[in-house]
Amino acid sequence: LMESRFTALRSHIYGDPDELKRFRQLMVNTVLATDIFDKELQALRKNRWDIAFRHISQQVDSTPEDDINRKATIVIEHLIQASDVAHTMQHWHIYQKWNERLFAEMTFAHQTGRMENNPADGWYKGELGFFDNYVIPLAKKLKECGVFGVSSDEYLNYALENRREWASKGEEVVEKMIAKYWKKDSDEDKDDPEKQGETK
């Protein structure tokens, strides 16, 4: 973005050093918002949400401009979080498609030694926990802040329905994904000329 070829674009994003600083802060917050496993960051976001949308009082005085900026920042953070897990708030077939792709990617990482734990071991229960502790609360917050209007109901309804579908079908889905993506030793032996030679 800071290269000379983007000068015109930058002039539309910010007009002075103060706006650049604010824009940079916003970008950093937005990127950090995708880190859903950092408990400290989660607590900070929850605190800002409560102040902005639940009107819980804070220790320090703030101006109306501060309040507007806080709301805008927290909404953008939640939008980026929602886009990161958008498949969980869409039709069951969309959810399944992207869930399977993530499973395949993580299974490959495990099989090639880039990830210690086998994702299949906790995939079913992990998805239930993900819906209960992250996706559904996030969908409720999107509805609460009102940025999507009536579409907010759709996102929450899809999240709830996908959770229900996964609870009843998820174990079977995981079994099928394991069968599809787990490379067994016998399959590897067929592709390995040296191992074929050992068995002759």
Side-chain angles (χ1 to χ4, degrees):
L1 180 63
M2 303 310 289
E3 293 176 4
S4 59
R5 62 194 175 118
F6 296 117
T7 301
L9 176 60
R10 288 198 308 274
S11 71
H12 291 283
I13 296 173
Y14 56 85
D16 58 48
D18 287 339
E19 287 184 359
L20 168 59
K21 183 180 179 183
R22 175 69 182 135
F23 173 71
R24 187 180 186 285
Q25 288 173 335
L26 189 59
M27 289 301 297
V28 169
N29 282 348
T30 303
V31 172
L32 289 176
T34 62
D35 184 353
I36 63 174
F37 298 107
D38 188 309
K39 291 182 179 178
E40 189 176 332
L41 286 174
Q42 280 184 0
L44 288 171
R45 278 194 294 272
K46 183 184 181 307
N47 183 53
R48 284 202 313 277
W49 180 275
D50 288 343
I51 293 167
F53 290 100
R54 301 208 173 122
H55 309 294
I56 294 174
S57 62
Q58 54 182 339
Q59 299 289 329
V60 296
D61 293 331
S62 63
T63 66
E65 185 180 359
D66 291 335
D67 294 339
I68 290 169
N69 286 337
R70 183 182 301 107
K71 273 190 177 181
T73 300
I74 200 72
V75 166
I76 290 170
E77 288 177 359
H78 283 74
L79 287 175
I80 199 73
Q81 288 176 339
S83 67
D84 201 30
V85 296
H87 66 289
T88 62
M89 302 180 205
Q90 296 180 59
H91 191 277
W92 169 250
H93 297 296
I94 301 294
Y95 164 66
Q96 272 193 291
K97 172 184 174 180
W98 292 102
N99 184 54
E100 180 177 328
R101 289 184 178 190
L102 179 59
F103 180 87
E105 180 182 330
M106 293 179 77
T107 298
F108 180 74
H110 173 66
Q111 290 175 334
T112 55
R114 292 185 287 115
M115 190 171 111
E116 185 177 342
N117 297 326
N118 180 356
D121 291 342
W123 199 267
Y124 171 72
K125 287 185 178 177
E127 285 296 291
L128 290 176
F130 189 52
F131 274 111
D132 292 340
N133 300 312
Y134 186 72
V135 174
I136 293 169
L138 176 60
K140 287 178 178 177
K141 283 183 176 179
L142 293 176
K143 182 177 180 179
E144 186 179 343
C145 72
V147 292
F148 288 116
V150 293
S151 296
S152 299
D153 287 330
E154 187 176 309
Y155 301 135
L156 178 57
N157 289 339
Y158 271 132
L160 292 167
E161 181 63 18
N162 285 336
R163 199 271 183 214
R164 188 189 66 74
E165 290 267 7
W166 183 261
S168 65
K169 300 176 183 174
E171 289 176 307
E172 181 184 343
V173 170
V174 172
E175 285 178 17
K176 287 179 180 177
M177 292 193 300
I178 291 170
K180 185 174 180 180
Y181 295 105
W182 188 257
K183 212 172 192 166
K184 297 178 175 62
D185 290 339
S186 58
D187 292 335
E188 291 172 346
D189 291 353
K190 290 175 190 173
D191 300 330
D192 189 334
E194 290 183 16
K195 289 188 178 179
Q196 285 180 351
E198 289 171 7
T199 57
K200 288 179 183 174

